[in-house]
PDB file of all heavy atoms in Angstrom:
ATOM      1  N   LEU A   8      16.509  -9.277  23.786  1.00  0.00           N
ATOM      2  CA  LEU A   8      17.022 -10.631  23.575  1.00  0.00           C
ATOM      3  C   LEU A   8      15.947 -11.684  23.811  1.00  0.00           C
ATOM      4  O   LEU A   8      15.844 -12.660  23.061  1.00  0.00           O
ATOM      5  CB  LEU A   8      18.220 -10.889  24.475  1.00  0.00           C
ATOM      6  CG  LEU A   8      19.512 -10.168  24.074  1.00  0.00           C
ATOM      7  CD1 LEU A   8      20.623 -10.460  25.066  1.00  0.00           C
ATOM      8  CD2 LEU A   8      19.964 -10.576  22.671  1.00  0.00           C
ATOM      9  N   VAL A  24      18.275 -25.566  14.303  1.00  0.00           N
ATOM     10  CA  VAL A  24      18.969 -24.274  14.171  1.00  0.00           C
ATOM     11  C   VAL A  24      18.220 -23.204  14.947  1.00  0.00           C
ATOM     12  O   VAL A  24      18.805 -22.438  15.728  1.00  0.00           O
ATOM     13  CB  VAL A  24      19.100 -23.881  12.684  1.00  0.00           C
ATOM     14  CG1 VAL A  24      19.683 -22.489  12.555  1.00  0.00           C
ATOM     15  CG2 VAL A  24      19.979 -24.879  11.946  1.00  0.00           C
ATOM     16  N   ASN A  25      16.903 -23.120  14.754  1.00  0.00           N
ATOM     17  CA  ASN A  25      16.102 -22.131  15.468  1.00  0.00           C
ATOM     18  C   ASN A  25      16.095 -22.411  16.973  1.00  0.00           C
ATOM     19  O   ASN A  25      16.130 -21.486  17.790  1.00  0.00           O
ATOM     20  CB  ASN A  25      14.673 -22.136  14.937  1.00  0.00           C
ATOM     21  CG  ASN A  25      14.574 -21.567  13.537  1.00  0.00           C
ATOM     22  OD1 ASN A  25      15.417 -21.824  12.699  1.00  0.00           O
ATOM     23  ND2 ASN A  25      13.543 -20.801  13.267  1.00  0.00           N
ATOM     24  N   LEU A  74      24.188 -17.805  36.209  1.00  0.00           N
ATOM     25  CA  LEU A  74      24.732 -19.117  35.842  1.00  0.00           C
ATOM     26  C   LEU A  74      24.188 -19.594  34.506  1.00  0.00           C
ATOM     27  O   LEU A  74      24.916 -20.183  33.704  1.00  0.00           O
ATOM     28  CB  LEU A  74      24.424 -20.131  36.939  1.00  0.00           C
ATOM     29  CG  LEU A  74      25.123 -19.906  38.283  1.00  0.00           C
ATOM     30  CD1 LEU A  74      24.663 -20.935  39.304  1.00  0.00           C
ATOM     31  CD2 LEU A  74      26.641 -19.972  38.113  1.00  0.00           C
ATOM     32  N   TYR A  78      27.004 -20.313  31.670  1.00  0.00           N
ATOM     33  CA  TYR A  78      27.120 -21.688  31.181  1.00  0.00           C
ATOM     34  C   TYR A  78      26.317 -21.928  29.904  1.00  0.00           C
ATOM     35  O   TYR A  78      26.701 -22.735  29.058  1.00  0.00           O
ATOM     36  CB  TYR A  78      26.664 -22.672  32.271  1.00  0.00           C
ATOM     37  CG  TYR A  78      27.573 -22.742  33.463  1.00  0.00           C
ATOM     38  CD1 TYR A  78      27.069 -22.731  34.760  1.00  0.00           C
ATOM     39  CD2 TYR A  78      28.951 -22.817  33.302  1.00  0.00           C
ATOM     40  CE1 TYR A  78      27.903 -22.798  35.867  1.00  0.00           C
ATOM     41  CE2 TYR A  78      29.798 -22.888  34.395  1.00  0.00           C
ATOM     42  CZ  TYR A  78      29.276 -22.867  35.675  1.00  0.00           C
ATOM     43  OH  TYR A  78      30.134 -22.936  36.765  1.00  0.00           O
ATOM     44  N   PRO A  93      26.088 -28.654   9.661  1.00  0.00           N
ATOM     45  CA  PRO A  93      26.131 -29.994  10.250  1.00  0.00           C
ATOM     46  C   PRO A  93      27.479 -30.684  10.071  1.00  0.00           C
ATOM     47  O   PRO A  93      28.138 -30.564   9.045  1.00  0.00           O
ATOM     48  CB  PRO A  93      25.026 -30.742   9.484  1.00  0.00           C
ATOM     49  CG  PRO A  93      24.105 -29.668   9.008  1.00  0.00           C
ATOM     50  CD  PRO A  93      24.979 -28.497   8.710  1.00  0.00           C
ATOM     51  N   VAL A  94      27.866 -31.394  11.121  1.00  0.00           N
ATOM     52  CA  VAL A  94      29.095 -32.172  11.114  1.00  0.00           C
ATOM     53  C   VAL A  94      28.726 -33.629  10.833  1.00  0.00           C
ATOM     54  O   VAL A  94      27.724 -34.140  11.338  1.00  0.00           O
ATOM     55  CB  VAL A  94      29.821 -32.067  12.471  1.00  0.00           C
ATOM     56  CG1 VAL A  94      31.109 -32.878  12.461  1.00  0.00           C
ATOM     57  CG2 VAL A  94      30.115 -30.609  12.790  1.00  0.00           C
ATOM     58  N   PHE A 175      32.362 -10.830  21.311  1.00  0.00           N
ATOM     59  CA  PHE A 175      32.656  -9.758  22.265  1.00  0.00           C
ATOM     60  C   PHE A 175      32.361 -10.218  23.693  1.00  0.00           C
ATOM     61  O   PHE A 175      33.151  -9.970  24.623  1.00  0.00           O
ATOM     62  CB  PHE A 175      31.820  -8.515  21.924  1.00  0.00           C
ATOM     63  CG  PHE A 175      32.203  -7.287  22.702  1.00  0.00           C
ATOM     64  CD1 PHE A 175      33.251  -6.493  22.291  1.00  0.00           C
ATOM     65  CD2 PHE A 175      31.505  -6.926  23.842  1.00  0.00           C
ATOM     66  CE1 PHE A 175      33.609  -5.360  23.009  1.00  0.00           C
ATOM     67  CE2 PHE A 175      31.845  -5.800  24.572  1.00  0.00           C
ATOM     68  CZ  PHE A 175      32.900  -5.008  24.151  1.00  0.00           C
ATOM     69  N   GLY A 214      13.591 -10.674   6.139  1.00  0.00           N
ATOM     70  CA  GLY A 214      13.136 -11.890   6.798  1.00  0.00           C
ATOM     71  C   GLY A 214      14.334 -12.659   7.328  1.00  0.00           C
ATOM     72  O   GLY A 214      15.460 -12.496   6.870  1.00  0.00           O
ATOM     73  N   VAL A 218      10.991 -16.214   9.532  1.00  0.00           N
ATOM     74  CA  VAL A 218      10.041 -15.390  10.272  1.00  0.00           C
ATOM     75  C   VAL A 218       9.219 -14.522   9.334  1.00  0.00           C
ATOM     76  O   VAL A 218       7.998 -14.525   9.373  1.00  0.00           O
ATOM     77  CB  VAL A 218      10.770 -14.510  11.309  1.00  0.00           C
ATOM     78  CG1 VAL A 218       9.793 -13.584  11.995  1.00  0.00           C
ATOM     79  CG2 VAL A 218      11.473 -15.400  12.329  1.00  0.00           C
ATOM     80  N   SER A 256     -29.810 -19.288 -27.348  1.00  0.00           N
ATOM     81  CA  SER A 256     -29.140 -18.996 -28.628  1.00  0.00           C
ATOM     82  C   SER A 256     -29.239 -20.182 -29.573  1.00  0.00           C
ATOM     83  O   SER A 256     -29.398 -20.013 -30.788  1.00  0.00           O
ATOM     84  CB  SER A 256     -27.668 -18.655 -28.372  1.00  0.00           C
ATOM     85  OG  SER A 256     -27.546 -17.454 -27.653  1.00  0.00           O
ATOM     86  N   GLN A 268     -32.289 -17.311 -42.376  1.00  0.00           N
ATOM     87  CA  GLN A 268     -31.935 -15.913 -42.091  1.00  0.00           C
ATOM     88  C   GLN A 268     -30.434 -15.859 -41.749  1.00  0.00           C
ATOM     89  O   GLN A 268     -30.037 -16.000 -40.601  1.00  0.00           O
ATOM     90  CB  GLN A 268     -32.768 -15.377 -40.932  1.00  0.00           C
ATOM     91  CG  GLN A 268     -34.271 -15.374 -41.203  1.00  0.00           C
ATOM     92  CD  GLN A 268     -35.048 -14.712 -40.086  1.00  0.00           C
ATOM     93  OE1 GLN A 268     -34.756 -13.575 -39.695  1.00  0.00           O
ATOM     94  NE2 GLN A 268     -36.062 -15.415 -39.586  1.00  0.00           N
ATOM     95  N   GLU A 297      -8.855 -22.474  -7.194  1.00  0.00           N
ATOM     96  CA  GLU A 297      -9.610 -23.365  -6.332  1.00  0.00           C
ATOM     97  C   GLU A 297      -8.672 -24.059  -5.338  1.00  0.00           C
ATOM     98  O   GLU A 297      -7.477 -24.210  -5.584  1.00  0.00           O
ATOM     99  CB  GLU A 297     -10.354 -24.406  -7.156  1.00  0.00           C
ATOM    100  CG  GLU A 297      -9.455 -25.363  -7.908  1.00  0.00           C
ATOM    101  CD  GLU A 297     -10.246 -26.352  -8.758  1.00  0.00           C
ATOM    102  OE1 GLU A 297     -11.458 -26.459  -8.533  1.00  0.00           O
ATOM    103  OE2 GLU A 297      -9.636 -26.989  -9.621  1.00  0.00           O
ATOM    104  N   ASP A 298      -9.244 -24.447  -4.204  1.00  0.00           N
ATOM    105  CA  ASP A 298      -8.451 -25.121  -3.181  1.00  0.00           C
ATOM    106  C   ASP A 298      -7.944 -26.452  -3.725  1.00  0.00           C
ATOM    107  O   ASP A 298      -8.716 -27.263  -4.225  1.00  0.00           O
ATOM    108  CB  ASP A 298      -9.303 -25.353  -1.932  1.00  0.00           C
ATOM    109  CG  ASP A 298      -8.462 -25.822  -0.771  1.00  0.00           C
ATOM    110  OD1 ASP A 298      -7.276 -25.451  -0.699  1.00  0.00           O
ATOM    111  OD2 ASP A 298      -8.991 -26.573   0.067  1.00  0.00           O
ATOM    112  N   TYR A 319       8.681 -27.848 -23.244  1.00  0.00           N
ATOM    113  CA  TYR A 319       8.966 -26.458 -23.630  1.00  0.00           C
ATOM    114  C   TYR A 319      10.138 -26.344 -24.596  1.00  0.00           C
ATOM    115  O   TYR A 319      10.437 -25.239 -25.065  1.00  0.00           O
ATOM    116  CB  TYR A 319       9.245 -25.617 -22.378  1.00  0.00           C
ATOM    117  CG  TYR A 319       8.020 -25.400 -21.527  1.00  0.00           C
ATOM    118  CD1 TYR A 319       7.685 -26.305 -20.523  1.00  0.00           C
ATOM    119  CD2 TYR A 319       7.179 -24.317 -21.740  1.00  0.00           C
ATOM    120  CE1 TYR A 319       6.556 -26.128 -19.744  1.00  0.00           C
ATOM    121  CE2 TYR A 319       6.049 -24.122 -20.967  1.00  0.00           C
ATOM    122  CZ  TYR A 319       5.740 -25.037 -19.964  1.00  0.00           C
ATOM    123  OH  TYR A 319       4.615 -24.849 -19.208  1.00  0.00           O
ATOM    124  N   GLU A 365      19.608 -17.264 -21.368  1.00  0.00           N
ATOM    125  CA  GLU A 365      19.969 -18.554 -20.777  1.00  0.00           C
ATOM    126  C   GLU A 365      18.962 -18.920 -19.700  1.00  0.00           C
ATOM    127  O   GLU A 365      18.580 -18.085 -18.881  1.00  0.00           O
ATOM    128  CB  GLU A 365      21.379 -18.498 -20.170  1.00  0.00           C
ATOM    129  CG  GLU A 365      22.485 -18.322 -21.195  1.00  0.00           C
ATOM    130  CD  GLU A 365      23.867 -18.351 -20.568  1.00  0.00           C
ATOM    131  OE1 GLU A 365      23.931 -18.546 -19.327  1.00  0.00           O
ATOM    132  OE2 GLU A 365      24.854 -18.194 -21.282  1.00  0.00           O
ATOM    133  N   SER A 391       9.685  -3.205  -5.964  1.00  0.00           N
ATOM    134  CA  SER A 391       8.232  -3.016  -5.897  1.00  0.00           C
ATOM    135  C   SER A 391       7.502  -4.135  -6.627  1.00  0.00           C
ATOM    136  O   SER A 391       6.451  -4.602  -6.172  1.00  0.00           O
ATOM    137  CB  SER A 391       7.857  -1.660  -6.505  1.00  0.00           C
ATOM    138  OG  SER A 391       8.259  -1.583  -7.872  1.00  0.00           O
ATOM    139  N   PRO A 399      -2.385 -12.600  -6.395  1.00  0.00           N
ATOM    140  CA  PRO A 399      -3.211 -13.014  -7.534  1.00  0.00           C
ATOM    141  C   PRO A 399      -3.615 -11.832  -8.407  1.00  0.00           C
ATOM    142  O   PRO A 399      -3.920 -10.748  -7.915  1.00  0.00           O
ATOM    143  CB  PRO A 399      -4.442 -13.634  -6.851  1.00  0.00           C
ATOM    144  CG  PRO A 399      -3.953 -14.060  -5.508  1.00  0.00           C
ATOM    145  CD  PRO A 399      -2.927 -13.051  -5.109  1.00  0.00           C
TER     146      PRO A 399
END
Side-chain angles (χ1 to χ4, degrees):
L8 287 178
V24 174
N25 290 40
L74 293 177
Y78 292 135
V94 180
F175 189 83
V218 176
S256 294
Q268 299 186 53
E297 65 182 345
D298 190 30
Y319 290 89
E365 293 183 2
S391 60

